[in-house]
Amino acid sequence: MVAEVINGKELSIKLKLNMKKEVEHLKEKNIVPHLTVVLVGNNPASRSYVNGKKKASEEVGISSEILELSEAITESELIQIIEQLNNDENVHGILVQLPLPIHINVQHIIEAIDPTKDVDGFHPYNVGKMMTGQDTFLPCTPYGIMTMLHSKKITIEGKHAVVIGRSNIVGKPVGQLLLNENATVTYCHSRTENLKEITKQADILVVAVGRPNVIDKEYIKEGAVVIDVGINRLENGTLTGDVDFDSASLHAAYITPVPRGVGPMTITMLLHNTIKAAKGMKK
Ligand code: GUN
């Protein structure tokens, strides 16, 4: 078997075309979707992600700004700025880029964001709504993964989905979204014993480990769907996923590449959430 590639880049271009039209309709009603991205400090990877978010916003006509704040900002100063954004009716979406400097408690910051502007879907209110299967902002990477599965009409109901990774941003919520669509979900992580035995049972395998090329065909059942969330930069500068693509492609029926896989979909779902916020999310 040689796997069919699920190209996130192509899918995101298609979705963005529709979003552009939706934004034009909103503008006719004098609503200009606006996203404020808050960047604290000088992390080069964060800066690059934030620039990507601004560029993608502009592509679909969403107005966006990057609020660049000093590494030395205190937690209470940052909360004050978030409160100003909460109260600004021209700001529809607020995203605080993570990670934050260690003197700032991330959870305090996430909880300061108005849940109706929480386009990351990280606020506990929105996490709870997602968990109980209600309409809300879904976190962008998990939402992008689900959209990729839907785009290929991959059956989720009744299937065994295995998620490697249990972060609040990717692992936990993607497992929840798969469960919401009636998959049987197993979470694996750094303390999991017999990882290979479990992943070989997966019909859908989501890999969010954060280490390059750790999952090869030996971990994959013939005919499985493999979603690679990893973005690892090797010493030679190339980007690679957590999955050894060439090897895994021999067993998988579908696979996502890196780059041009989950990454572009994450940004695209952020745009989707910003448009949803502009249309008005009820609390
Ligand atoms: N850092 C890495 N991924 C994310 C994300 O999805 N949202 C935010 N705010 N920060 C991140």
Side-chain angles (χ1 to χ4, degrees):
M1 177 173 292
V2 175
E4 179 174 338
V5 174
I6 312 178
N7 187 317
K9 178 85 188 170
E10 274 174 18
L11 180 56
S12 72
I13 288 169
K14 224 187 309 178
L15 294 171
K16 280 191 278 190
L17 277 176
N18 288 333
M19 288 185 202
K20 197 169 175 193
K21 287 184 200 142
E22 210 175 350
V23 171
E24 279 162 14
H25 286 139
L26 284 172
K27 286 182 176 170
E28 282 163 14
K29 293 190 242 169
N30 290 324
I31 300 170
V32 183
H34 181 90
L35 170 69
T36 298
V37 179
V38 178
L39 175 65
V40 181
N42 250 322
N43 180 329
S46 289
R47 186 168 291 274
S48 148
Y49 291 140
V50 159
N51 287 339
K53 288 167 186 177
K54 183 165 168 60
K55 181 170 162 282
S57 300
E58 283 162 5
E59 275 171 35
V60 302
I62 292 175
S63 131
S64 75
E65 62 176 335
I66 301 174
L67 217 52
E68 295 193 25
L69 303 173
S70 154
E71 179 94 22
I73 193 167
T74 65
E75 186 176 302
S76 61
E77 285 167 340
L78 182 53
I79 289 174
Q80 261 180 30
I81 289 171
I82 290 169
E83 281 168 358
Q84 281 167 16
L85 297 171
N86 287 343
N87 293 328
D88 184 341
E89 63 181 25
N90 294 317
V91 173
H92 300 107
I94 303 168
L95 180 146
V96 179
Q97 185 66 27
L98 305 179
L100 289 170
I102 48 169
H103 65 274
I104 297 175
N105 181 313
V106 179
Q107 210 54 33
H108 292 170
I109 300 306
I110 289 173
E111 289 176 30
I113 299 170
D114 180 336
T116 66
K117 299 189 177 189
D118 170 36
V119 287
D120 255 330
F122 291 168
H123 191 289
Y125 178 85
N126 288 322
V127 175
K129 285 191 99 172
M130 177 197 64
M131 189 150 197
T132 49
Q134 299 175 69
D135 179 36
T136 188
F137 297 115
L138 300 177
C140 302
T141 301
Y143 194 10
I145 292 169
M146 298 307 289
T147 305
M148 291 173 100
L149 295 173
H150 295 153
S151 77
K152 293 288 180 187
K153 300 193 163 44
I154 288 164
T155 305
I156 296 169
E157 180 160 323
K159 298 299 177 189
H160 187 189
V162 175
V163 179
I164 317 179
R166 53 173 160 177
S167 70
N168 290 336
I169 293 181
V170 181
K172 282 183 205 166
V174 78
Q176 184 65 53
L177 293 180
L178 288 159
L179 177 65
N180 289 358
E181 295 195 22
N182 301 315
T184 301
V185 180
T186 302
Y187 287 97
C188 299
H189 46 77
S190 53
R191 313 282 167 88
T192 297
E193 294 176 4
N194 309 325
L195 177 67
K196 202 178 278 185
E197 281 170 30
I198 299 168
T199 61
K200 280 193 98 134
Q201 297 171 34
D203 301 305
I204 299 169
L205 180 63
V206 181
V207 187
V209 178
R211 272 182 290 127
N213 301 322
V214 289
I215 299 299
D216 64 15
K217 69 179 189 337
E218 300 307 319
Y219 289 78
I220 296 165
K221 181 166 88 172
E222 289 272 353
V225 178
V226 178
I227 306 290
D228 186 354
V229 186
I231 302 177
N232 307 289
R233 198 167 288 279
L234 301 180
E235 276 179 10
N236 65 12
T238 56
L239 275 189
T240 187
D242 296 348
V243 175
D244 177 342
F245 182 87
D246 291 340
S247 166
S249 296
L250 299 173
H251 278 187
Y254 291 94
I255 189 165
T256 66
V258 179
R260 294 181 292 281
V262 173
M265 289 300 293
T266 295
I267 295 190
T268 302
M269 301 333 282
L270 171 66
L271 306 180
H272 171 95
N273 282 349
T274 304
I275 294 168
K276 187 179 176 84
K279 289 196 282 193
M281 270 294 287
K282 288 179 193 65
K283 205 176 156 193

Coordinates of all heavy atoms in Angstrom, one line a residue, residues 49 53 95-99 120 122 140-141 169 266, ligand 1:
Y49 N 5.4 32.4 13.7 CA 4.0 31.9 13.7 C 3.0 33.1 13.7 O 2.0 33.1 12.9 CB 3.7 31.1 15.0 CG 4.4 29.8 15.0 CD1 4.9 29.3 16.2 CD2 4.5 29.0 13.9 CE1 5.6 28.1 16.3 CE2 5.1 27.7 14.0 CZ 5.7 27.3 15.2 OH 6.3 26.1 15.2
K53 N 0.1 34.2 10.9 CA -1.3 34.5 11.3 C -1.8 35.8 10.7 O -2.9 35.9 10.1 CB -1.5 34.4 12.8 CG -1.3 33.0 13.4 CD -1.2 32.9 14.9 CE -0.9 31.5 15.3 NZ -0.7 31.3 16.7
L95 N -5.8 36.6 20.5 CA -5.0 35.4 20.6 C -3.7 35.8 21.3 O -3.0 36.7 20.9 CB -4.7 34.8 19.3 CG -3.8 33.6 19.2 CD1 -4.2 32.7 18.1 CD2 -2.3 33.9 19.0
V96 N -3.4 35.2 22.4 CA -2.1 35.4 23.1 C -1.2 34.3 22.7 O -1.4 33.1 23.1 CB -2.3 35.5 24.6 CG1 -0.9 35.7 25.3 CG2 -3.2 36.6 25.0
Q97 N -0.1 34.6 22.0 CA 0.8 33.6 21.5 C 1.5 32.9 22.7 O 2.0 33.6 23.6 CB 1.8 34.2 20.5 CG 2.7 33.2 19.8 CD 2.0 32.2 18.9 OE1 0.9 32.5 18.4 NE2 2.5 31.0 18.8
L98 N 1.5 31.6 22.7 CA 2.3 30.8 23.7 C 3.5 30.3 23.1 O 3.6 30.1 21.9 CB 1.4 29.7 24.2 CG 0.0 30.1 24.7 CD1 -0.8 28.8 25.2 CD2 0.1 31.1 25.9
P99 N 4.6 30.0 23.8 CA 4.7 30.1 25.3 C 4.9 31.6 25.8 O 5.3 32.4 25.0 CB 5.9 29.3 25.6 CG 6.8 29.4 24.4 CD 5.8 29.5 23.2
D120 N -8.7 31.0 20.2 CA -7.8 29.8 20.3 C -8.6 28.6 20.9 O -8.2 27.5 20.9 CB -6.7 30.1 21.4 CG -5.4 30.3 20.7 OD1 -5.1 29.7 19.6 OD2 -4.6 31.1 21.3
F122 N -9.1 28.1 24.1 CA -8.3 27.6 25.3 C -9.0 27.9 26.6 O -8.6 27.4 27.6 CB -6.9 28.2 25.3 CG -6.0 27.8 24.2 CD1 -4.8 28.4 23.9 CD2 -6.3 26.7 23.4 CE1 -3.9 28.0 22.9 CE2 -5.4 26.2 22.4 CZ -4.2 26.9 22.2
C140 N -7.5 25.4 17.4 CA -7.3 25.4 15.9 C -6.6 24.2 15.4 O -7.0 23.7 14.3 CB -6.5 26.7 15.6 SG -7.3 28.2 16.1
T141 N -5.6 23.6 16.0 CA -4.9 22.5 15.5 C -5.9 21.2 15.5 O -6.0 20.6 14.4 CB -3.6 22.2 16.2 OG1 -2.8 23.3 16.1 CG2 -2.9 21.0 15.6
I169 N -3.2 21.9 24.2 CA -3.4 22.5 22.9 C -3.8 21.5 21.8 O -4.6 21.8 20.9 CB -2.1 23.3 22.5 CG1 -1.8 24.5 23.4 CG2 -2.2 23.8 21.0 CD1 -0.6 25.3 23.1
T266 N -4.0 24.8 10.8 CA -4.1 25.4 12.1 C -4.4 26.9 11.9 O -5.4 27.4 12.5 CB -2.8 25.2 12.9 OG1 -2.6 23.8 13.2 CG2 -2.8 26.0 14.2
Ligands
GUN1 N1 1.7 28.2 20.4 C1 1.8 27.1 19.7 N2 0.6 26.8 19.2 C2 -0.3 27.8 19.6 C3 -1.7 28.0 19.4 O1 -2.4 27.2 18.8 N3 -2.2 29.1 20.0 C4 -1.4 30.0 20.7 N4 -2.0 31.1 21.2 N5 -0.1 29.8 20.9 C5 0.4 28.7 20.4

